[in-house]
Amino acid sequence: MKSTLQQLKVLSIDIGGSHIKGTILNEKGELQKKYEKVVTPIPANPENVINSIKTLVKDFPEYDKISVGFPGYVKNGVIKTAPNLSNGLWKDFDLANKLKEILGQDTQVVNDADMQGLGVVDGKGLELVVTLGTGFGTAMLLNGNLLPHLEFSHQPFGKSESYDKYIGEAALEKEGDKKWNKRMKKVFEVLKTVFNYDYLYIGGGNSDKLTFKLDKNMKIVSNADGIKGGARLWINDNAPETIKPIKIQKK
Protein backbone atom coordinates (compact mmCIF):
# COMPACT_ATOMS: atom_id res chain seq x y z
CA MET A 1 0.00 0.00 0.00
CA LYS A 2 1.29 3.45 -0.89
CA SER A 3 2.35 5.44 2.13
CA THR A 4 0.30 8.48 3.08
CA LEU A 5 2.04 11.80 3.54
CA GLN A 6 1.71 11.46 7.31
CA GLN A 7 3.51 8.10 7.26
CA LEU A 8 6.25 9.13 4.89
CA LYS A 9 9.77 7.94 5.73
CA VAL A 10 12.35 9.01 3.18
CA LEU A 11 15.90 7.75 2.81
CA SER A 12 17.69 10.94 1.78
CA ILE A 13 21.16 10.58 0.24
CA ASP A 14 23.62 13.23 -0.87
CA ILE A 15 26.39 12.00 -3.17
CA GLY A 16 29.40 14.33 -3.02
CA GLY A 17 32.89 14.37 -4.43
CA SER A 18 34.41 13.53 -1.02
CA HIS A 19 31.59 11.90 0.97
CA ILE A 20 28.23 10.18 0.56
CA LYS A 21 25.81 11.28 3.28
CA GLY A 22 22.46 9.95 4.37
CA THR A 23 19.63 10.01 6.89
CA ILE A 24 15.95 9.14 7.26
CA LEU A 25 13.40 11.98 7.11
CA ASN A 26 9.72 12.28 7.93
CA GLU A 27 7.24 14.22 5.78
CA LYS A 28 8.32 17.51 7.40
CA GLY A 29 11.98 16.92 6.56
CA GLU A 30 12.84 16.22 10.19
CA LEU A 31 15.71 13.81 10.82
CA GLN A 32 14.59 10.44 12.15
CA LYS A 33 18.12 9.21 12.76
CA LYS A 34 21.65 10.52 13.05
CA TYR A 35 23.11 12.05 9.90
CA GLU A 36 25.83 9.63 8.70
CA LYS A 37 28.42 9.52 5.94
CA VAL A 38 31.02 7.36 4.20
CA VAL A 39 33.95 8.35 2.02
CA THR A 40 33.19 8.57 -1.70
CA PRO A 41 35.03 5.64 -3.31
CA ILE A 42 37.87 5.89 -5.79
CA PRO A 43 37.15 5.34 -8.60
CA ALA A 44 33.68 6.78 -8.10
CA ASN A 45 32.01 4.63 -10.74
CA PRO A 46 28.35 3.55 -10.48
CA GLU A 47 29.13 0.12 -9.02
CA ASN A 48 31.42 1.48 -6.29
CA VAL A 49 29.10 4.35 -5.38
CA ILE A 50 26.08 2.04 -5.16
CA ASN A 51 28.04 -0.39 -2.99
CA SER A 52 29.01 2.53 -0.71
CA ILE A 53 25.35 3.53 -0.44
CA LYS A 54 24.42 -0.05 0.49
CA THR A 55 27.10 0.00 3.21
CA LEU A 56 25.91 3.39 4.47
CA VAL A 57 22.25 2.40 4.82
CA LYS A 58 22.53 -1.26 5.87
CA ASP A 59 21.62 -0.50 9.52
CA PHE A 60 19.17 2.34 8.80
CA PRO A 61 15.54 2.12 10.00
CA GLU A 62 12.82 1.23 7.48
CA TYR A 63 11.92 3.75 4.76
CA ASP A 64 9.39 3.79 1.92
CA LYS A 65 10.83 6.38 -0.49
CA ILE A 66 14.34 7.29 -1.60
CA SER A 67 15.69 10.72 -2.61
CA VAL A 68 19.18 11.22 -4.00
CA GLY A 69 21.14 14.39 -4.69
CA PHE A 70 23.78 13.82 -7.38
CA PRO A 71 26.65 16.16 -8.40
CA GLY A 72 25.80 16.59 -12.08
CA TYR A 73 23.01 17.02 -14.57
CA VAL A 74 20.18 14.53 -14.06
CA LYS A 75 17.19 13.97 -16.36
CA ASN A 76 14.32 11.76 -15.23
CA GLY A 77 16.61 9.93 -12.83
CA VAL A 78 19.25 9.28 -15.50
CA ILE A 79 22.74 10.75 -15.07
CA LYS A 80 23.86 12.89 -17.99
CA THR A 81 27.00 14.48 -16.54
CA ALA A 82 29.17 13.82 -13.48
CA PRO A 83 32.06 16.31 -13.76
CA ASN A 84 33.41 15.72 -10.25
CA LEU A 85 33.09 11.94 -10.39
CA SER A 86 33.54 10.82 -14.01
CA ASN A 87 31.48 11.88 -17.01
CA GLY A 88 32.48 8.82 -19.00
CA LEU A 89 31.59 6.30 -16.30
CA TRP A 90 28.21 7.84 -15.45
CA LYS A 91 26.83 9.05 -18.79
CA ASP A 92 23.25 7.77 -19.34
CA PHE A 93 23.35 5.63 -16.19
CA ASP A 94 19.82 5.16 -14.81
CA LEU A 95 20.64 5.66 -11.14
CA ALA A 96 17.02 6.02 -10.02
CA ASN A 97 15.91 2.67 -11.40
CA LYS A 98 19.09 0.92 -10.29
CA LEU A 99 18.67 2.06 -6.69
CA LYS A 100 14.99 1.14 -6.78
CA GLU A 101 15.99 -2.33 -7.96
CA ILE A 102 18.66 -2.77 -5.28
CA LEU A 103 17.03 -1.05 -2.29
CA GLY A 104 13.45 -1.94 -3.13
CA GLN A 105 11.72 1.45 -2.91
CA ASP A 106 10.67 4.16 -5.38
CA THR A 107 13.59 6.50 -6.00
CA GLN A 108 13.99 10.05 -7.26
CA VAL A 109 17.39 11.42 -8.27
CA VAL A 110 18.00 15.13 -8.84
CA ASN A 111 20.99 17.44 -8.94
CA ASP A 112 22.50 17.82 -5.46
CA ALA A 113 22.16 21.61 -5.41
CA ASP A 114 18.50 21.27 -6.44
CA MET A 115 17.85 18.94 -3.52
CA GLN A 116 19.68 21.25 -1.15
CA GLY A 117 17.60 24.13 -2.47
CA LEU A 118 14.38 22.32 -1.66
CA GLY A 119 15.66 21.83 1.86
CA VAL A 120 16.64 25.41 2.69
CA VAL A 121 14.44 27.93 0.86
CA ASP A 122 11.58 29.92 2.39
CA GLY A 123 9.45 29.73 -0.75
CA LYS A 124 9.23 33.49 -1.34
CA GLY A 125 10.23 35.03 -4.66
CA LEU A 126 13.32 34.04 -6.65
CA GLU A 127 15.77 32.18 -4.44
CA LEU A 128 19.22 31.04 -5.56
CA VAL A 129 21.14 28.26 -3.84
CA VAL A 130 24.87 27.66 -4.40
CA THR A 131 27.06 24.89 -3.05
CA LEU A 132 30.79 25.32 -2.50
CA GLY A 133 32.42 21.91 -2.45
CA THR A 134 34.43 19.81 -4.87
CA GLY A 135 32.73 21.90 -7.54
CA PHE A 136 30.26 24.79 -7.70
CA GLY A 137 26.58 23.85 -7.66
CA THR A 138 23.57 26.06 -8.30
CA ALA A 139 19.78 25.77 -8.02
CA MET A 140 16.97 28.25 -8.62
CA LEU A 141 13.51 28.23 -7.06
CA LEU A 142 10.58 30.55 -7.69
CA ASN A 143 8.00 30.79 -4.91
CA GLY A 144 9.14 27.39 -3.67
CA ASN A 145 9.02 25.72 -7.10
CA LEU A 146 12.19 24.10 -8.37
CA LEU A 147 13.07 25.58 -11.76
CA PRO A 148 14.82 23.65 -14.58
CA HIS A 149 18.41 22.93 -13.64
CA LEU A 150 21.21 24.88 -15.29
CA GLU A 151 24.83 23.70 -15.16
CA PHE A 152 25.93 27.27 -14.50
CA SER A 153 29.21 26.05 -13.00
CA HIS A 154 30.53 25.16 -16.46
CA GLN A 155 30.34 28.73 -17.74
CA PRO A 156 33.76 30.37 -18.23
CA PHE A 157 34.71 32.94 -15.60
CA GLY A 158 37.50 35.46 -16.19
CA LYS A 159 40.49 33.61 -17.55
CA SER A 160 39.31 30.32 -16.07
CA GLU A 161 37.70 27.52 -18.00
CA SER A 162 34.70 27.47 -15.65
CA TYR A 163 33.35 28.48 -12.26
CA ASP A 164 34.31 24.97 -11.10
CA LYS A 165 37.93 25.65 -12.00
CA TYR A 166 37.85 29.18 -10.57
CA ILE A 167 36.39 28.50 -7.11
CA GLY A 168 36.19 24.70 -6.71
CA GLU A 169 38.07 22.61 -4.17
CA ALA A 170 41.21 22.41 -6.33
CA ALA A 171 41.33 26.21 -6.69
CA LEU A 172 40.93 26.67 -2.93
CA GLU A 173 43.80 24.30 -2.21
CA LYS A 174 46.04 25.86 -4.85
CA GLU A 175 45.36 29.54 -4.18
CA GLY A 176 44.74 29.52 -0.42
CA ASP A 177 41.89 30.96 1.63
CA LYS A 178 42.70 34.66 1.11
CA LYS A 179 42.80 34.62 -2.68
CA TRP A 180 39.87 32.22 -2.86
CA ASN A 181 37.78 34.66 -0.80
CA LYS A 182 38.63 37.45 -3.24
CA ARG A 183 37.42 35.23 -6.04
CA MET A 184 34.21 34.44 -4.17
CA LYS A 185 33.48 38.15 -3.78
CA LYS A 186 33.72 38.55 -7.55
CA VAL A 187 31.48 35.54 -8.15
CA PHE A 188 28.81 36.80 -5.76
CA GLU A 189 28.76 40.18 -7.52
CA VAL A 190 28.18 38.42 -10.84
CA LEU A 191 25.41 36.25 -9.40
CA LYS A 192 23.69 39.31 -7.96
CA THR A 193 23.78 41.06 -11.35
CA VAL A 194 22.79 38.06 -13.46
CA PHE A 195 20.00 36.58 -11.34
CA ASN A 196 18.59 39.54 -9.38
CA TYR A 197 17.61 37.04 -6.71
CA ASP A 198 15.55 37.87 -3.65
CA TYR A 199 17.68 35.61 -1.46
CA LEU A 200 20.91 33.64 -1.84
CA TYR A 201 21.70 30.55 0.24
CA ILE A 202 25.27 29.25 0.42
CA GLY A 203 25.93 25.60 1.24
CA GLY A 204 28.62 23.01 0.73
CA GLY A 205 31.67 22.04 2.76
CA ASN A 206 33.71 25.11 1.84
CA SER A 207 31.05 27.66 2.79
CA ASP A 208 32.66 27.94 6.24
CA LYS A 209 35.83 29.24 4.55
CA LEU A 210 34.13 32.54 3.65
CA THR A 211 35.61 35.36 5.71
CA PHE A 212 33.89 38.50 4.39
CA LYS A 213 30.57 40.02 5.43
CA LEU A 214 27.59 38.79 3.44
CA ASP A 215 24.70 40.93 2.24
CA LYS A 216 21.50 40.91 4.29
CA ASN A 217 19.80 38.69 1.73
CA MET A 218 22.54 36.05 1.83
CA LYS A 219 23.19 33.34 4.40
CA ILE A 220 25.19 30.16 4.92
CA VAL A 221 23.22 26.92 5.35
CA SER A 222 24.33 23.50 6.51
CA ASN A 223 24.50 20.22 4.60
CA ALA A 224 22.14 18.77 7.21
CA ASP A 225 19.57 21.43 6.29
CA GLY A 226 20.05 20.72 2.61
CA ILE A 227 19.48 16.99 2.85
CA LYS A 228 15.98 17.75 4.19
CA GLY A 229 15.03 18.53 0.60
CA GLY A 230 14.79 14.80 0.11
CA ALA A 231 11.39 14.81 1.84
CA ARG A 232 10.06 17.67 -0.23
CA LEU A 233 10.70 15.76 -3.45
CA TRP A 234 7.85 13.46 -2.42
CA ILE A 235 5.31 16.01 -1.22
CA ASN A 236 3.87 16.10 -4.74
CA ASP A 237 5.36 13.19 -6.65
CA ASN A 238 3.00 13.65 -9.62
CA ALA A 239 4.48 17.00 -10.63
CA PRO A 240 7.08 17.28 -13.40
CA GLU A 241 10.54 16.47 -12.06
CA THR A 242 12.01 19.92 -12.73
CA ILE A 243 9.05 21.93 -11.40
CA LYS A 244 7.70 20.43 -8.18
CA PRO A 245 5.41 22.53 -5.99
CA ILE A 246 6.44 22.23 -2.36
CA LYS A 247 4.91 23.29 0.90
CA ILE A 248 7.41 25.22 3.00
CA GLN A 249 7.22 24.49 6.71
CA LYS A 250 7.49 27.63 8.82
CA LYS A 251 10.91 27.92 10.46
Side-chain angles (χ1 to χ4, degrees):
M1 179 181 295
K2 185 174 180 179
S3 297
T4 65
L5 183 61
Q6 289 71 31
Q7 298 170 330
L8 195 64
K9 293 292 183 290
V10 180
L11 169 61
S12 189
I13 298 169
D14 178 29
I15 299 173
S18 59
H19 290 89
I20 300 171
K21 301 167 281 289
T23 189
I24 303 291
L25 307 171
N26 65 12
E27 73 282 353
K28 296 180 180 180
E30 297 168 338
L31 273 67
Q32 303 300 290
K33 74 168 307 298
K34 183 181 177 183
Y35 181 79
E36 297 187 24
K37 63 183 179 180
V38 295
V39 174
T40 302
I42 300 174
N45 57 33
E47 180 181 4
N48 289 343
V49 168
I50 288 171
N51 284 337
S52 293
I53 291 172
K54 288 167 64 178
T55 299
L56 174 67
V57 307
K58 65 179 181 179
D59 295 323
F60 276 28
E62 290 186 357
Y63 49 86
D64 42 41
K65 300 291 184 184
I66 303 170
S67 296
V68 181
F70 186 87
Y73 180 66
V74 184
K75 185 174 183 180
N76 299 322
V78 178
I79 308 305
K80 296 299 181 180
T81 67
N84 296 313
L85 298 180
S86 172
N87 281 322
L89 295 174
W90 283 92
K91 182 172 174 56
D92 294 327
F93 184 80
D94 193 339
L95 182 58
N97 275 330
K98 192 64 176 178
L99 285 175
K100 178 181 178 180
E101 174 189 323
I102 291 173
L103 299 179
Q105 301 293 355
D106 288 343
T107 303
Q108 292 195 60
V109 182
V110 297
N111 173 266
D112 55 350
D114 284 349
M115 192 164 85
Q116 175 140 28
L118 288 171
V120 302
V121 300
D122 283 330
K124 299 175 182 177
L126 180 62
E127 296 174 285
L128 179 64
V129 181
V130 301
T131 57
L132 308 178
T134 306
F136 177 61
T138 60
M140 291 186 296
L141 297 95
L142 181 62
N143 296 326
N145 294 332
L146 189 61
L147 298 178
H149 181 73
L150 302 176
E151 284 290 85
F152 190 73
S153 62
H154 298 303
Q155 290 288 320
F157 191 89
K159 296 179 180 179
S160 291
E161 181 181 336
S162 66
Y163 280 82
D164 270 357
K165 300 290 186 184
Y166 189 67
I167 56 171
E169 180 77 31
L172 174 59
E173 292 179 358
K174 179 181 177 182
E175 304 296 344
D177 287 9
K178 185 175 181 180
K179 188 171 182 179
W180 182 80
N181 268 272
K182 288 182 179 180
R183 291 186 174 190
M184 285 306 312
K185 280 186 177 181
K186 292 180 181 179
V187 167
F188 285 145
E189 285 300 318
V190 170
L191 296 180
K192 186 190 307 183
T193 302
V194 171
F195 291 99
N196 291 297
Y197 53 77
D198 293 299
Y199 216 97
L200 173 65
Y201 303 85
I202 308 160
N206 290 331
S207 60
D208 60 0
K209 300 288 199 313
L210 296 171
T211 57
F212 53 90
K213 185 177 180 180
L214 302 176
D215 295 342
K216 291 182 179 179
N217 64 338
M218 300 166 64
K219 73 175 180 180
I220 294 173
V221 294
S222 71
N223 285 336
D225 288 331
I227 209 167
K228 295 176 183 178
R232 289 179 176 165
L233 279 176
W234 292 101
I235 289 178
N236 183 350
D237 59 2
N238 294 315
E241 181 173 82
T242 53
I243 309 177
K244 290 185 180 295
I246 60 171
K247 297 177 182 179
I248 303 298
Q249 301 291 329
K250 295 294 183 182
K251 296 180 179 179

